[in-house]
Amino acid sequence: MNSQLKWTYQDHPLTISYFERLSSQDHAPNLIYLHGGACSKEDFFQATEQRALQDYHLLAFDFPGCGHSPYPDGACFSVDDLVAITQKMIQKLQVKRYIIVGHSLGGLIALLCIQSDPKAVAFINVEGNLAPENCLFSKRVSMQSFEEFHNKAEANLLKSCEMSQNT
């Protein structure tokens, strides 16, 4: 069920891991899931077992640096880049009409995708951010290369989570 698509985006090689669960119906509606930061396509995998969704073609993929999609060396992707990558996945997988579900940062990416894609017929936002200014953490992280985040910001993030009273 897990597959990969590879292409070059802004001179960076991408390997995007995804899963799709086909429906038994020939013209089943497509349901695309976009995860938030620090999440992955696996967060949506249980949907494949839900009877209520058996008539839907389900698709989810990992953004670069999440799950099983590596972050390219030297890349620094913005939210707009993640929108472009999402649109390219939809194109490469030849998805026609679809419903898009966004979680957290994926909510903003989904909203930006549907604004310019007439194939999007519905939008579902699950605990999502609907404006870039609401993505303070994601915005700060996305402006760093993977190496910068891993070497500098990750330790601070983990420390602040450990000290948080919300855990």
Side-chain angles (χ1 to χ4, degrees), residues 15-87:
T15 300
I16 303 296
S17 178
Y18 70 98
F19 78 77
E20 60 182 332
R21 201 265 342 253
L22 300 176
S23 169
S24 59
Q25 295 183 1
D26 286 340
H27 298 289
N30 295 289
L31 189 60
I32 301 173
Y33 172 73
L34 301 181
H35 66 77
C39 297
S40 71
K41 68 184 176 304
E42 277 76 22
D43 296 324
F44 191 62
F45 194 74
Q46 284 185 322
T48 64
E49 300 168 5
Q50 300 302 312
R51 288 183 48 157
L53 298 176
Q54 68 186 4
D55 293 337
Y56 289 84
H57 175 118
L58 304 180
L59 171 65
F61 64 92
D62 291 328
F63 288 120
C66 299
H68 295 98
S69 294
Y71 202 90
D73 291 337
C76 187
F77 295 138
S78 67
V79 170
D80 290 333
D81 292 316
L82 297 178
V83 171
I85 289 167
T86 299
Q87 291 169 332

Side-chain angles (χ1 to χ4, degrees), residues 137 149 153-164 167:
F137 171 74
F149 176 76
E154 184 176 26
N156 292 336
L157 172 63
L158 293 174
K159 184 183 272 185
S160 68
C161 288
E162 289 172 2
M163 298 178 76
S164 172
T167 57

Side-chain angles (χ1 to χ4, degrees), residues 92-150:
K92 285 187 164 291
L93 294 170
Q94 300 177 351
V95 176
K96 302 294 182 219
R97 293 170 38 97
Y98 62 89
I99 299 165
I100 194 163
V101 178
H103 167 251
S104 189
L105 175 62
L108 173 60
I109 295 165
L111 181 62
L112 295 172
C113 281
I114 66 167
Q115 290 178 346
S116 62
D117 192 350
K119 296 181 295 191
V121 296
F123 165 60
I124 300 169
N125 185 30
V126 182
E127 295 181 359
N129 300 305
L130 296 179
E133 56 271 14
N134 295 337
C135 300
L136 298 178
F137 171 74
S138 302
K139 187 174 182 179
R140 287 192 315 249
V141 169
S142 71
M143 298 307 290
Q144 301 174 17
S145 69
F146 178 78
E147 293 80 17
E148 289 174 312
F149 176 76
H150 182 67

